[in-house]
Amino acid sequence: MTVERIFDELGHFNRYQACLYFAAVFQAIACGIHYLASVFLVQTPNFVCSVPGNITDVLYGNLTGFSLEDILPIFKSDTGPLVVRTAEGEQWELSRCRCALRINPKNFTYDFDGNKTVKACDGNFVYDLTEIHQSIVTDWDLVCENEWLAKMCQPTFMLGVLVGALVFGDIADRVGRVRILMFTSLCQFGFGVSVAFSGHYYFFLVLRFLLAMVSSGYLVVVFVYVTEFTGIKVRTWTSMHVHAAFAVGIMVVALTGYLVRVWWIYQIILSTCTSPFLLLCWKFPETPFYLMAKGRYKETQTLLDAIARFNGLECRLKVQELLEPEERENGKALLEEAEQQPLQSEKKLSILDLFGSWRMARRTCTVWAIWFIGSLGYYVFSLGSVNLGGNQYVNLFLAGAVELPSYLVGCFAMDRIGRKKTCAPALLLAGVACLLIIVVPADIEALAIALCMTGKFAIAIAFGLIYLYTCELYPTIIRSLAVGSGSTMCRVGSVVAPFCVYLADVWTYLPQLIVGILAFIIGVLTLLLPETLGRPLTTTLEEAEALGREPSKKNSALGNKDAEDRM
């Protein structure tokens, strides 16, 4: 089919496409919101064991107070316990997960050499509520032996992201893009609000898993949707800036987290801030590519007429002109017959075709590695930004804001120096930034934050371009396999990322060390990939192999024209 002619006749990004694009991308903000919302949902404030009786005096080193609330904001669990005295005269030493009753103390002093009776907290805790008024941790006491339950929230969500990408990506090819966009948008709103009223940890976890599935489904399908409604001249920019809407969602999370410190109110606000989209999505049209592929020619013509009217143009383009010459001669019957009887070679294609030769296998492994480290680094920088010191809300806001210029830089670089020469330096810069964070003195928080933002800036470029780069590296017959398998590796990286962030409990800089080493190694391997800028998309395995072997800069007339358009 020559469906791309639509954009030559009606505009690559005219008014109609622009309105659809910004409306569809607006809802992608909700995906960024829900992906990172757990940063503040599962916050753990300072806490200590509670004791029976009313506390009258508190000691912490040289500090004194009359209640735990006076001392908890400055309490550090690694510097010693809190010592309290109750109205009954008992003295207790309180730590996070243990408490000790002093036996027959003589004086109320911080140091005590006598006997103590040590016991577990038994689910009784006192939390510092000055910063966090209410989180799921304080509501359901997800600390000490239950701490792992809080840490499972984000990995479980990312597992839902993986399942959603696999399920909805396939369904969208069967029932259409618009139906999935409407369904996932409605479910995002419904599940998002339901999470706020879950009332129980496991119900909360299940609802978040379902929310992750529909959020991932929307993000996967909206990328295809906007790509099939924009022309080649702007496709690099439109595909990259879907990620920019995701970054705006991260910024919304930081701002809402700063203003709202009660988790269920915070969740409701985040779930409703993109709800106006629900009033628009039912008017979205199906894409011309999908309609043509399904043989729905009357609907395609109606869509073309509507686009032309909205853009203030006269529609002289007929659906018949979008068919190949053979299809025009033989009519719709030939097209239906071709769809019903696919070629034998298409039936036999499998993921093993991505490893058909040593050269293709090396390419596939490198591309998968880029997908993995792009996702892993992206979420490690985002989730870990709140642990860098300074104001955690400002840090997360910056982690989202720094992506916006990264996509601008990435688009300019991709069109001028190529995909490989943009991706490899970006990964190398992210690796160097991670390793430099390790050597920065702990008391220079501003420099550590600046290096983290530099790493996020670089990894966002690589993460944003890999989808388009993968499309160009593989021939048509296995392109969907390549992108689908790469996307799966991306989701695996997002599942691993929270566990990588939790390794900071072992050593503060272990997450940065892992991401830094992997990003540097994969950045070097990326230099071995072929360049695709200015080349037409390949259709056969032999052409894809030649792309890696031949340094020739010869392009077809179409390829040269596309390259000039992108410049």
Side-chain angles (χ1 to χ4, degrees):
M1 292 184 184
T2 55
V3 187
E4 290 284 355
R5 282 196 58 192
I6 293 174
F7 306 114
D8 294 329
E9 296 287 338
L10 303 179
H12 287 250
F13 196 68
N14 217 325
R15 281 180 294 179
Y16 189 92
Q17 295 99 312
C19 290
L20 273 182
Y21 177 79
F22 289 114
V25 168
F26 174 74
Q27 182 65 8
I29 294 174
C31 300
I33 285 172
H34 294 305
Y35 276 48
L36 273 297
S38 66
V39 170
F40 300 125
L41 281 174
V42 299
Q43 270 190 301
T44 302
N46 236 344
F47 69 94
V48 291
C49 280
S50 180
V51 295
N54 295 322
I55 294 174
T56 58
D57 299 283
V58 183
L59 293 177
Y60 180 55
N62 296 325
L63 301 175
T64 60
F66 299 103
S67 68
L68 290 175
E69 288 74 13
D70 296 335
I71 305 297
L72 270 179
I74 56 175
F75 170 67
K76 295 181 180 179
S77 60
D78 57 349
T79 59
L82 288 177
V83 180
V84 300
R85 181 166 55 187
T86 66
E88 291 76 19
E90 294 180 335
Q91 295 184 19
W92 293 82
E93 295 181 5
L94 308 180
S95 60
R96 287 197 162 183
C97 299
R98 295 287 185 274
C99 58
L101 175 63
R102 292 177 174 180
I103 306 299
N104 299 322
K106 295 181 179 179
N107 300 305
F108 184 51
T109 59
Y110 189 75
D111 297 318
F112 179 72
D113 296 328
N115 296 325
K116 308 172 188 176
T117 301
V118 180
K119 66 174 185 176
C121 290
D122 297 328
N124 296 313
F125 302 94
V126 177
Y127 297 95
D128 174 23
L129 303 180
T130 54
E131 285 290 329
I132 306 163
H133 298 165
Q134 192 178 353
S135 72
I136 68 168
V137 173
T138 62
D139 274 9
W140 300 322
D141 290 328
L142 304 182
V143 292
C144 298
E145 66 272 9
N146 291 326
E147 182 182 9
W148 68 276
L149 294 174
K151 290 186 174 182
M152 282 301 296
C153 288
Q154 189 66 16
T156 304
F157 185 91
M158 289 303 182
L159 184 61
V161 169
L162 171 60
V163 174
L166 296 174
V167 171
F168 288 105
D170 179 63
I171 295 177
D173 288 334
R174 299 172 185 268
V175 304
R177 285 77 164 104
V178 170
R179 290 182 181 179
I180 297 302
L181 291 182
M182 290 191 291
F183 176 77
T184 54
S185 300
L186 183 62
C187 288
Q188 268 189 319
F189 175 77
F191 289 138
V193 174
S194 297
V195 166
F197 299 99
S198 53
H200 188 275
Y201 171 79
Y202 292 105
F203 193 28
F204 170 89
L205 208 63
V206 170
L207 287 173
R208 285 269 298 168
F209 181 86
L210 297 174
L211 178 60
M213 285 184 60
V214 295
S215 296
S216 175
Y218 185 88
L219 201 58
V220 168
V221 177
V222 77
F223 183 93
V224 177
Y225 187 78
V226 300
T227 299
E228 292 182 350
F229 258 112
T230 54
I232 189 67
K233 291 183 179 180
V234 297
R235 197 163 286 158
T236 298
W237 288 79
T238 55
S239 62
M240 284 283 281
H241 283 83
V242 172
H243 300 286
F246 190 95
V248 171
I250 298 176
M251 297 161 66
V252 171
V253 168
L255 182 61
T256 307
Y258 175 75
L259 296 174
V260 181
R261 307 298 176 90
V262 178
W263 75 269
W264 60 272
I265 300 177
Y266 160 87
Q267 178 67 29
I268 291 174
I269 292 174
L270 291 180
S271 299
T272 56
C273 65
T274 60
S275 57
F277 177 80
L278 299 176
L279 303 176
L280 302 173
C281 64
W282 66 278
K283 294 288 290 183
F284 275 26
E286 190 54 83
T287 71
F289 284 84
Y290 183 82
L291 293 176
M292 290 294 294
K294 295 297 182 180
R296 293 156 61 177
Y297 302 125
K298 289 185 179 179
E299 294 179 53
T300 306
Q301 187 64 59
T302 302
L303 175 61
L304 297 182
D305 295 338
I307 295 174
R309 284 196 304 270
F310 198 88
N311 290 342
L313 302 172
E314 180 183 352
C315 185
R316 294 170 294 182
L317 186 64
K318 302 301 178 183
V319 170
Q320 292 78 4
E321 299 174 29
L322 302 179
L323 301 175
E324 298 293 350
E326 297 82 2
E327 294 170 335
R328 296 179 204 170
E329 294 175 3
N330 298 316
K332 182 179 176 181
L334 179 61
L335 180 60
E336 292 177 346
E337 182 181 352
E339 290 175 352
Q340 293 170 2
Q341 299 177 359
L343 296 175
Q344 292 298 316
S345 60
E346 292 178 343
K347 290 183 179 180
K348 296 179 180 179
L349 289 176
S350 71
I351 199 168
L352 296 178
D353 289 284
L354 299 176
F355 300 86
S357 67
W358 284 109
R359 188 180 300 274
M360 189 65 74
R362 288 197 301 269
R363 182 181 305 177
T364 298
C365 290
T366 303
V367 168
W368 282 4
I370 298 171
W371 280 95
F372 177 81
I373 191 59
S375 180
L376 177 67
Y378 183 92
Y379 289 109
V380 166
F381 280 120
S382 298
L383 297 171
S385 62
V386 297
N387 301 322
L388 291 173
N391 189 299
Q392 59 182 347
Y393 303 102
V394 173
N395 291 350
L396 185 62
F397 185 88
L398 291 176
V402 77
E403 289 186 50
L404 302 183
S406 77
Y407 298 129
L408 292 174
V409 172
C411 287
F412 278 114
M414 287 168 67
D415 284 345
R416 281 158 176 74
I417 65 175
R419 282 55 163 143
K420 178 178 74 172
K421 294 179 181 178
T422 302
C423 186
L427 290 173
L428 293 173
L429 177 58
V432 170
C434 282
L435 298 177
L436 287 178
I437 291 175
I438 298 174
V439 301
V440 169
D443 57 340
I444 310 180
E445 292 179 350
L447 183 55
I449 293 172
L451 287 171
C452 178
M453 298 307 140
T454 301
K456 180 67 181 299
F457 175 90
I459 208 72
I461 293 176
F463 194 32
L465 69 81
I466 188 56
Y467 191 103
L468 184 60
Y469 193 22
T470 304
C471 287
E472 296 174 341
L473 277 173
Y474 290 88
T476 301
I477 58 173
I478 59 171
R479 187 170 295 129
S480 294
L481 283 171
V483 174
S485 61
S487 180
T488 300
M489 292 302 299
C490 168
R491 309 306 171 190
V492 171
S494 66
V495 172
V496 173
F499 294 107
C500 188
V501 172
Y502 298 151
L503 290 177
D505 294 339
V506 179
W507 182 45
T508 304
Y509 300 112
L510 191 53
Q512 286 81 5
L513 180 64
I514 293 173
V515 172
I517 292 174
L518 289 177
F520 196 86
I521 293 173
I522 296 170
V524 173
L525 293 176
T526 303
L527 294 171
L528 303 178
L529 289 174
E531 186 53 82
T532 61
L533 177 63
R535 295 177 183 266
L537 294 178
T538 59
T539 58
T540 66
L541 288 170
E542 290 75 14
E543 290 173 344
E545 285 292 291
L547 181 61
R549 290 195 299 265
E550 298 175 5
S552 172
K553 296 183 180 179
K554 294 181 180 179
N555 298 308
S556 68
L558 178 60
N560 283 326
K561 181 180 183 301
D562 289 346
E564 292 170 3
D565 289 341
R566 287 193 294 267
M567 296 295 280

